[in-house]
Amino acid sequence: MAKALPSFPGVAPNPDRELGEARASIDRSDERAALKHLDKARRGYLKRHDAAGLEHILVLLDVLESDDESVRIGRANLAYAVKQNLRLENRRRARELGEPGQDPYPALGAPTEHTGIAFTRGVKLAIALGVALGTAALVAFFAFSVFFGSSDEPRVTLQLLNDTKERVTLRGCDDSDCVTTWMDRDVDPGLTTESSVPADDLVDLFKVHSSGRDEVCLPVRVHDAVARFGGTGTLVARVSQASPCPGTTVLPQATAETGL
């Protein structure tokens, strides 16, 4: 079995710095970079149990507007993940205080076009001076924490089952166009391959190729599966669930439910 490689960068050691980088990227109209920095900041604030930091991410997402469908999908996915994180933080704090928790987003539902974070350049955006000053203050206050941050993060085992009748090639993609990959494996019919991926990944994208057929996509919703089944077992996605790219997202199942 090939050694597992991470599919996305780890938890940001300084989420406040990532927030500042996101602000600068938005000023440059670089939505791709802004969303990457905001997702790193989300992971960092989640690790710190910093609800205020997570809410600040939502403030920045509010100014990300574009006519580009892929940008809208990326923004919706990230906003959904942040709100789920805030839900968890609300329940955790309520348990610590011994008080009943109140869901801050009772009507929250998964985005209908949950196809992974998409990054493109596009529309020029402006952010209020108060947001800029607040970000600058946070960056200055936590400037030295970057030297003491940890790249450790919760991970989960993701298993891909080739339940088709053909040998397939599976590529794990670092971006929506799969220009760079972190996994490239051939899997025979009836066999599986697995990797350790960050439990907070919104969507891990895999491209599936078999002889004589067009390449298809398998976007796997890791974050949602961990929230539903927990992060201690193995999650399983089936190759037969792949669909024409960019692909319909798939919620992997826990091994106990797949019968594996």
Side-chain angles (χ1 to χ4, degrees):
M1 183 72 65
K3 183 178 180 181
L5 298 175
S7 58
F8 288 91
V11 172
N14 188 339
D16 304 297
R17 186 181 65 172
E18 295 296 341
L19 204 66
E21 292 290 343
R23 162 68 172 83
S25 297
I26 291 174
D27 283 345
R28 297 194 304 269
S29 298
D30 189 351
E31 290 88 356
R32 177 190 177 96
L35 286 172
K36 284 184 177 179
H37 287 302
L38 286 174
D39 191 42
K40 285 184 178 182
R42 177 187 69 84
R43 297 179 187 218
Y45 287 133
L46 181 61
K47 186 179 179 68
R48 288 183 178 180
H49 303 297
D50 187 343
L54 291 169
E55 290 171 351
H56 202 167
I57 293 174
L58 292 178
V59 172
L60 293 182
L61 284 173
D62 280 343
V63 302
L64 275 173
E65 297 178 355
S66 174
D67 294 330
D68 190 303
E69 182 180 4
S70 60
V71 173
R72 293 199 304 270
I73 290 172
R75 177 185 176 276
N77 285 337
L78 188 53
Y80 171 75
V82 172
K83 290 176 181 179
Q84 286 280 37
N85 295 156
L86 285 168
R87 273 177 162 178
L88 293 174
E89 279 305 301
N90 181 275
R91 290 197 292 268
R92 184 190 65 81
R93 181 163 179 78
R95 286 195 301 268
E96 289 182 348
L97 298 176
E99 300 175 351
Q102 183 175 1
D103 188 349
Y105 302 102
L108 180 64
T112 56
E113 295 295 332
H114 206 303
T115 56
I117 295 182
F119 305 113
T120 61
R121 296 178 181 273
V123 185
K124 290 185 177 181
L125 303 169
I127 294 181
L129 179 60
V131 174
L133 292 175
T135 301
L138 285 171
V139 172
F141 186 78
F142 291 103
F144 293 104
S145 66
V146 66
F147 298 107
F148 305 99
S150 172
S151 61
D152 293 338
E153 61 182 332
R155 304 184 73 82
V156 65
T157 299
L158 176 63
Q159 190 174 90
L160 302 175
L161 168 64
N162 182 7
D163 59 338
T164 71
K165 297 181 180 179
E166 300 179 345
R167 182 175 184 172
V168 299
T169 297
L170 294 173
R171 292 189 297 149
C173 304
D174 278 329
D175 52 80
S176 58
D177 296 325
C178 216
V179 175
T180 58
T181 60
W182 60 273
M183 185 184 81
D184 192 337
R185 301 174 189 170
D186 294 326
V187 185
D188 289 324
L191 299 183
T192 62
T193 185
E194 65 182 38
S195 288
S196 174
V197 298
D200 286 335
D201 276 356
L202 299 182
V203 176
D204 277 344
L205 173 63
F206 299 91
K207 291 202 172 182
V208 183
H209 177 77
S210 57
S211 179
R213 297 179 182 271
D214 291 336
E215 192 170 57
V216 290
C217 287
L218 183 64
V220 181
R221 287 161 50 194
V222 175
H223 178 273
D224 287 350
V226 170
R228 178 174 298 187
F229 303 115
T232 58
T234 298
L235 301 175
V236 181
R238 301 175 183 270
V239 170
S240 62
Q241 295 174 293
S243 55
C245 295
T248 301
T249 57
V250 170
L251 181 71
Q253 301 298 304
T255 49
E257 299 197 2
T258 63
L260 295 177

